Amino acid sequence: MLPNFLVIIVDQMNSFCLGWNGNNEVRTPNLDRLATDGVNFNRAYPTNPVCSPTRASLHTGLTPRQHGLTTNGCNLDGNIPTITGLLAEHGYRTHCAGKIHLQPFNTEARNEDGQPASWESQELWNGHDITELPLPYYGYQSVDYVGGHVNYVFGDYVNDVEARRSGTKAELSREKAYASAGPQTWRMPVPSEWHYNDWITERSIEFLRRQGDRPFFLVTSFPDPHAPFCAARPYSEMYDPESVSLPGNWDCSEDPCGYLERFDRPTHRGWNEGILREAIAQTYGMITHIDDCVGRLRDALTELGLADDTIVVFLSDHGEYLGSHNLLLKGPWPYEPVVRVPLIWHTPDGRKGARVSQPVSHLDFVPTVLDYAGLGQEAFDLRGGHRSRRAILPGESLRPVIEDGARPQQEGKLIEYDEDGISTEMCRYRMLITERWKVCVYGGFGDGVLYDLENDPLEMRNLWDDPAHLSVKADMMARLTDRLALTDRMDTYRHCLH
């Protein structure tokens, strides 16, 4: 019998904001219970620290260079096979409730045929030029769509909630109500029962109620805890900013990646202690809200008799600095809080309460789903014209790790960053992370970082130019080059379709 999948995705949550991973301040009882019932990967890494590229990797199993969506503001090529489309072809019912972000929010342009250049355009949804996504949408047979975050949320949620409770959208946007001292940080006047987190949960449960014997692949995708840092009542009042702990390196005066100061990123730096405390308190509130929703989803699986046949996965697309090195949001600084994310796999027959400390990657998600669904990588064959090419997915199945306690086979997790337009210069890096070491090379700058994560977990000492670590640097650079060469063999993957 084929398993069902419930994949819970959150946005911009780092691994250090999970109780099971050692945070004794944030309240995540349902996620902690999911971890005790399953396998917790406490060193999981995205393919990119930005939303769209890593979400495209979760759908395709490819690196950003391979699938072509390398930065926010791009569309994922609709001809590239997705795990959702593949499962639909093999009898699965596929559905997404929440955020997708495989096309950009910030455009209202149209193609030559008059169709939207992006079906996830905020302007076109708000103007009612778009009222639904074209189906199937990247393999999803049905969608309850939510775009944006907090005060600029839009989509099916806004249309539905405004019809039932007029004024909710205005409340979501009321930044000055419950305002704190800092930008991007306030307390939302919307009650949680009218918030998009609860709406996404309700739509997901409604989807579960409609399922019969047909297997399903349900993605429940919460826009939180992505900035602005703003929780709904009562979660907005749940954490006292004066009581939360700040990262041990929040007030460091020297940036180990100081050459990045050439970029004008005023939204990332210059925070005082009070603003950081409020941002953390609101982030924790947003996370606890999600945690309550996860509890409702698992209760629904049990109530509907689906729990014993459903694999539950919890992950974040990427992390959040949240005060580390006096940074907020996401960006080109390669620190662990922005690239280390929660990942929990709960399978009916898997191990319980296991912790995996070896690095794993979002690239492993698609191969693992394929394995559990009884499909091989050959299902991702590409055919374009007279050419045919078999996909060699760069990740590995984690099923042996989940069920048997095996070690992940691939050593070194690759992360790419290609952010255009953040200043007058383009910032690009390639990074490789092993159990102990992290190396990151910035293209065009002749510079980089080398961190000993075992002895310097706060990443305060950049060993890039340290003579005592030249051999380590050379070894890590060789590994990075090898990994890049391996994945570059697939760089023309998408062009086989045209």
Side-chain angles (χ1 to χ4, degrees), residues 12 51-52 69 111 144 159 167 192 218 226 261 283 429 453 470 478:
Q12 205 157 309
C51 297
S52 290
L69 203 170
N111 298 321
D144 292 305
N159 294 344
S192 61
L218 168 61
H226 188 290
E261 291 181 356
T283 296
Y429 75 56
L453 297 176
L470 290 179

Side-chain angles (χ1 to χ4, degrees), residues 16-299:
F16 306 98
C17 289
L18 188 63
W20 190 250
N21 285 343
N23 188 320
N24 60 8
E25 296 178 359
V26 66
R27 302 167 202 170
T28 54
N30 292 294
L31 289 170
D32 296 346
R33 181 166 61 91
L34 184 66
T36 60
D37 291 343
V39 178
N40 179 54
F41 295 84
N42 62 12
R43 289 193 64 191
Y45 294 94
T47 59
N48 189 293
V50 178
C51 297
S52 290
T54 196
R55 286 173 179 266
S57 293
L58 288 168
H59 283 81
T60 65
L62 302 173
T63 71
R65 283 173 298 117
Q66 292 171 341
H67 58 59
L69 203 170
T70 57
T71 184
N72 284 351
C74 302
N75 289 20
L76 177 63
D77 188 333
N79 293 309
I80 295 180
T82 60
I83 186 63
T84 42
L86 180 65
L87 292 175
E89 291 174 4
H90 286 81
Y92 274 80
R93 179 80 171 83
T94 58
H95 182 80
C96 179
K99 179 178 177 178
I100 302 176
H101 209 182
L102 297 178
Q103 295 189 10
F105 297 158
N106 58 348
T107 179
E108 54 181 320
R110 294 182 179 271
N111 298 321
E112 293 181 358
D113 59 2
Q115 294 296 310
S118 170
W119 286 98
E120 301 183 50
S121 162
Q122 179 184 1
E123 290 298 323
L124 295 180
W125 272 92
N126 286 342
H128 300 287
D129 295 290
I130 298 175
T131 57
E132 60 184 12
L133 294 178
L135 300 176
Y137 190 72
Y138 291 107
Y140 291 110
Q141 296 162 322
S142 55
V143 174
D144 292 305
Y145 176 62
V146 181
H149 303 274
V150 186
N151 58 325
Y152 61 101
V153 70
F154 61 95
D156 290 323
Y157 157 73
V158 169
N159 294 344
D160 179 55
V161 76
E162 277 296 298
R164 295 189 291 127
R165 184 179 184 265
S166 178
T168 301
K169 180 173 174 57
E171 287 183 344
L172 289 164
S173 303
R174 198 180 303 162
E175 299 180 22
K176 292 183 179 179
Y178 300 90
S180 68
Q184 296 221 36
T185 309
W186 65 91
R187 304 186 185 191
M188 183 184 293
V190 174
S192 61
E193 60 266 28
W194 291 100
H195 190 270
Y196 45 80
N197 286 344
D198 282 50
W199 187 87
I200 290 167
T201 303
E202 291 163 4
R203 300 307 299 162
S204 297
I205 293 173
E206 179 59 29
F207 170 83
L208 293 174
R209 293 189 187 281
R210 297 196 302 267
Q211 302 316 303
D213 296 332
R214 186 178 175 185
F216 62 81
F217 186 87
L218 168 61
V219 173
T220 299
S221 182
F222 297 105
D224 285 356
H226 188 290
F229 308 102
C230 180
R233 298 195 315 265
Y235 304 97
S236 58
E237 316 302 318
M238 191 169 287
Y239 294 90
D240 177 11
E242 296 304 315
S243 300
V244 300
S245 298
L246 295 176
N249 55 8
W250 79 269
D251 60 347
C252 57
S253 59
E254 183 177 350
D255 184 357
C257 302
Y259 49 89
L260 289 179
E261 291 181 356
R262 73 184 71 196
F263 296 110
D264 181 20
R265 301 295 285 247
T267 58
H268 284 67
R269 287 198 171 279
W271 308 102
N272 63 43
E273 181 177 342
I275 293 174
L276 291 178
R277 287 187 176 279
E278 184 71 23
I280 292 172
Q282 290 303 304
T283 296
Y284 286 178
M286 297 165 91
I287 291 171
T288 299
H289 191 176
I290 291 169
D291 184 83
D292 284 348
C293 292
V294 170
R296 291 175 58 192
L297 289 166
R298 293 197 71 195
D299 288 346

Side-chain angles (χ1 to χ4, degrees), residues 399-417:
R399 186 173 184 176
V401 185
I402 295 167
E403 294 186 353
D404 304 323
R407 287 176 59 90
Q409 294 298 302
Q410 295 179 353
E411 187 174 4
K413 302 307 166 187
L414 178 65
I415 302 175
E416 306 171 5
Y417 184 91

